[in-house]
Amino acid sequence: MYIKKILLAIAILGLIGLSVFSYYIYTSIFSANTSFSEEEKMVYVPTGADYQTVIDSLQPYIEDMESFDLVARKKGYASNIKPGRYDIKSGMNNNELVNALRRGNVPVKLTFNNQERLEDLAGRIAEQIEADSTALIKAFKDEKFLAENDFTQAEALAMYIPNQYELYWNTSAEEFRSRMKREYERFWTEEKRKKAEEIGLNPKEVSTLASVVHKETAKVDERPKVAGVYMNRYKNGWKLDADPTVIYALKNKTQKWDTIIKRVLYKDLELDSPYNTYMYKELPPGPIFMADISAINAVLNYEDHDYFYFVADVENFGYHKFAKNLAQHNRNKQEYVRWINKQGVKR
């Protein structure tokens, strides 16, 4: 009888122990184990990261790291790390967390526009994917890649069409560059290329002229009209006489790209630079800015008119007054000069 009691007690203790162990295992796997109040957090696992790096990245967001570690090792994740950007939702349990890290590399919705140089673009992209700006600018300026794709370094900015793209965070600099080349080819459809040919330009020249149009006016509805002025000058063998190209030439000469120039002076027009369209009839060697799609379309579908001149409209800010002849333009210009002098703008 005594032995039976002992055996019964041992059995009961065993069941209790098994229950406790089972409960621990169950809670380790299926109980919520996040420690943040937001709906979700993004965790970034760098290329080449080891398990400890993942643990360090997760530490701020996990309530019980010991139980997470137990499940991660049991599921084989500790020896199978995958780089990427992962979406961790509030209330996830360890099983869900590990599964998310094993297969849930979440694409980045990458955007860029309004970049003046390849260096600026590299900095913007580096904020959104794993590749750093040094690797990106090296890829952008790679001479072999540019030559193989019929681009000069001056033209290279035209290859990057500003838009929103979906790609993975751990995309390398070379992979990003190749993706943008494919997007460039996709953007420049046969129809667009035919339109460019009809107006006497190739796609890179369209982007270059579009960059000037973009800098001349922020008003999308005015861009086809401004493009029409430049096309009138271009087709008639005139110099473009575009102030934004002079500003770019000045910045390029001084390498002071943060300089703000609100007023182009007569002495600036004498700067000997291939970007100075007051000095050279040719289009600039490449874009002076990342033209957005509306500016590119404005050139391809420029407004057919008889205007050869324009100047800022001081009565309708953001827009311009257009003129067909120099006498009319000079009257408009005098009005603008009086206004800008009154504002005290020297440079």
Side-chain angles (χ1 to χ4, degrees), residues 6-217:
I6 292 175
L7 293 174
L8 180 61
I10 291 173
I12 292 171
L13 288 173
L15 287 171
I16 292 172
L18 181 61
S19 298
V20 170
F21 179 74
S22 297
Y23 177 76
Y24 174 71
I25 295 298
Y26 179 85
T27 55
S28 294
I29 297 175
F30 298 110
S31 293
N33 193 26
T34 55
S35 62
F36 52 90
S37 58
E38 296 86 350
E39 185 176 339
E40 63 183 19
K41 289 287 186 180
M42 290 297 170
V43 175
Y44 297 88
V45 179
T47 299
D50 58 16
Y51 181 55
Q52 186 58 50
T53 301
V54 178
I55 293 295
D56 293 340
S57 299
L58 286 172
Q59 191 74 52
Y61 312 125
I62 301 298
E63 186 73 34
D64 180 3
M65 187 56 73
E66 185 177 341
S67 66
F68 170 83
D69 178 57
L70 172 67
V71 175
R73 291 183 184 278
K74 288 292 182 182
K75 291 175 73 72
Y77 173 70
S79 58
N80 189 27
I81 308 302
K82 295 180 180 179
R85 171 181 179 262
Y86 298 94
D87 183 2
I88 305 301
K89 297 186 183 301
S90 179
M92 274 185 165
N93 59 47
N94 287 324
N95 190 57
E96 292 169 330
L97 288 166
V98 174
N99 286 343
L101 291 167
R102 288 174 69 176
R103 65 171 183 265
N105 192 1
V106 181
V108 173
K109 292 188 184 301
L110 179 147
T111 60
F112 60 87
N113 59 7
N114 297 335
Q115 306 302 309
E116 191 169 31
R117 300 175 300 146
L118 291 172
E119 287 81 359
D120 302 318
L121 176 62
R124 177 75 181 103
I125 301 307
E127 296 171 353
Q128 301 176 77
I129 63 174
E130 183 179 18
D132 63 26
S133 57
T134 301
L136 286 161
I137 195 63
K138 182 180 178 181
F140 295 169
K141 292 186 175 183
D142 181 71
E143 291 184 3
K144 182 180 178 182
F145 173 83
L146 291 172
E148 288 174 348
N149 291 281
D150 194 29
F151 278 89
T152 65
Q153 193 172 121
E155 297 167 336
L157 191 63
M159 197 183 80
Y160 301 89
I161 306 296
N163 212 330
Q164 181 180 89
Y165 301 97
E166 191 171 275
L167 43 80
Y168 289 110
W169 173 77
N170 54 311
T171 298
S172 70
E174 291 76 18
E175 289 169 338
F176 173 77
R177 178 192 65 190
S178 296
R179 168 69 183 278
M180 292 301 102
K181 179 60 170 58
R182 293 195 299 273
E183 295 293 344
Y184 173 84
E185 297 297 341
R186 186 176 291 118
F187 174 81
W188 280 102
T189 61
E190 184 178 347
E191 180 185 4
K192 284 191 176 75
R193 289 178 182 274
K194 185 177 180 181
K195 280 189 174 182
E197 185 179 355
E198 288 172 353
I199 65 175
L201 301 174
N202 62 45
K204 290 176 291 185
E205 290 171 331
V206 170
S207 292
T208 296
L209 185 54
S211 71
V212 179
V213 172
H214 185 127
K215 292 297 286 184
E216 281 287 14
T217 178

